Amino acid sequence: MKIWIFIGRFTPPHKWHISTIRKSLKFNDLTIVILGSANVLNEQNPFDVINRWQMIEEHFDGHDCLIIESIDDIESDKQWVSEIWKIASNYIESEWQFSIYWWDFENDYAIKVLKEFESELWFDSLDFVEFNRKDLSFEHNWETKYYSSTLVRECLKTNNIELLKKLLVSDIYNKTTKKNLKNTKIKN
C-alpha cells in the first residue's frame, strides 16, 4: 500500500496545495494531510484549523482516500516529530511504502527536522519526495509568480482580488473572501 503524507499550514490552501493533493490521490492508496500550527491564530496563521480543515475537506468532497489531521506548534523538535509519527501510525503499517512530500528541501525547517530524526522512525520504507513549487507558476502583470500562502495573505490584506482569483480555486476563494468568515485575523 502506498501512503503519502503532506504537512503544511495551508493558511489558506492555494492552487499548488490543491494540485499536489489531487496528484497524490491519483497515485497513492491513502493521502494524509496534516495541518500545522493548529494552536496558532495570528497574522501568519489567519485561518483557524477548523476553517482550513473545512476548505480542504469540502473541496475534495469527502474523498475516501483523503485523511485530514492537525498538529499544534510544539517547542521541542523531537516532540513535534514524535507527534507526526503518532498521527501517521494511526493509519500506516510498518511494511507499507510511506512518502513525505515537500516543496523545498533546502529551506524548509520542518523537513530538516524530520530528516534529522529519521533514524528513530519505525517505517521500513520512508521516502522524502520534493515537489517543486516552481513547476506550477503563472503570469501576473508580466511577472512570473509562484503559489504561496504568504502571497495569498498579502492579497487579502490589500484586497487584490485579481491576483487572489489566480491563487485560489473558486470554492476556497469564496470561503476566504467572505466578510463573515469566523476566526480570521487578516489585518489591513
Side-chain angles (χ1 to χ4, degrees):
M1 184 170 216
K2 287 176 66 178
I3 309 296
W4 177 86
I5 189 167
F6 188 15
I7 306 166
R9 289 184 300 138
F10 303 89
T11 59
H14 50 67
K15 285 183 179 178
W16 184 83
H17 292 133
I18 298 302
S19 172
T20 304
I21 293 168
R22 190 173 288 122
K23 283 179 192 173
S24 174
L25 290 168
K26 183 176 180 180
F27 296 110
N28 295 287
D29 299 305
L30 183 65
T31 297
I32 302 170
V33 173
I34 300 179
L35 306 174
S37 301
N39 59 332
V40 179
L41 190 60
N42 59 25
E43 196 164 324
Q44 276 205 306
N45 299 288
F47 299 95
D48 70 8
V49 71
I50 294 167
N51 280 308
R52 293 181 279 147
W53 190 307
Q54 288 173 340
M55 287 178 205
I56 296 169
E57 185 174 64
E58 290 172 11
H59 180 79
F60 289 100
D61 196 24
H63 196 291
D64 290 344
C65 298
L66 176 64
I67 294 170
I68 304 171
E69 292 283 352
S70 65
I71 186 168
D72 289 346
D73 279 358
I74 298 170
E75 289 291 321
S76 161
D77 290 344
K78 189 172 185 173
Q79 181 62 33
W80 183 82
V81 170
S82 175
E83 292 300 315
I84 291 291
W85 300 131
K86 281 182 191 174
I87 291 168
S89 66
N90 289 326
Y91 306 100
I92 300 170
E93 300 290 331
S94 63
E95 67 275 2
W96 293 352
Q97 183 181 349
F98 175 61
S99 298
I100 296 178
Y101 283 65
W102 222 266
W103 52 87
D104 188 355
F105 280 166
E106 291 182 19
N107 298 312
D108 195 287
Y109 182 73
I111 200 68
K112 288 177 184 177
V113 170
L114 286 166
K115 284 182 155 275
E116 178 183 340
F117 294 103
E118 180 180 6
S119 63
E120 298 179 23
L121 307 176
W122 54 266
F123 298 106
D124 294 334
S125 177
L126 175 62
D127 297 316
F128 289 89
V129 180
E130 184 174 18
F131 274 125
N132 190 334
R133 197 178 286 235
K134 294 179 180 177
D135 290 342
L136 188 62
S137 62
F138 63 96
E139 295 295 318
H140 181 72
N141 293 340
W142 302 282
E143 277 185 70
T144 300
K145 299 278 187 184
Y146 304 103
Y147 293 93
S148 100
S149 294
T150 302
L151 185 55
V152 172
R153 291 188 301 272
E154 284 300 314
C155 289
L156 287 167
K157 281 185 203 177
T158 61
N159 206 27
N160 187 340
I161 301 302
E162 179 187 354
L163 183 53
L164 197 59
K165 285 182 177 181
K166 291 180 179 181
L167 291 165
L168 301 174
V169 294
S170 61
D171 58 321
I172 293 175
Y173 168 82
N174 292 335
K175 279 192 161 293
T176 58
T177 56
K178 279 186 179 177
K179 291 188 193 249
N180 62 354
L181 186 63
K182 295 178 183 173
N183 299 321
T184 303
K185 293 238 181 224
I186 298 286
K187 295 179 181 162
N188 291 323

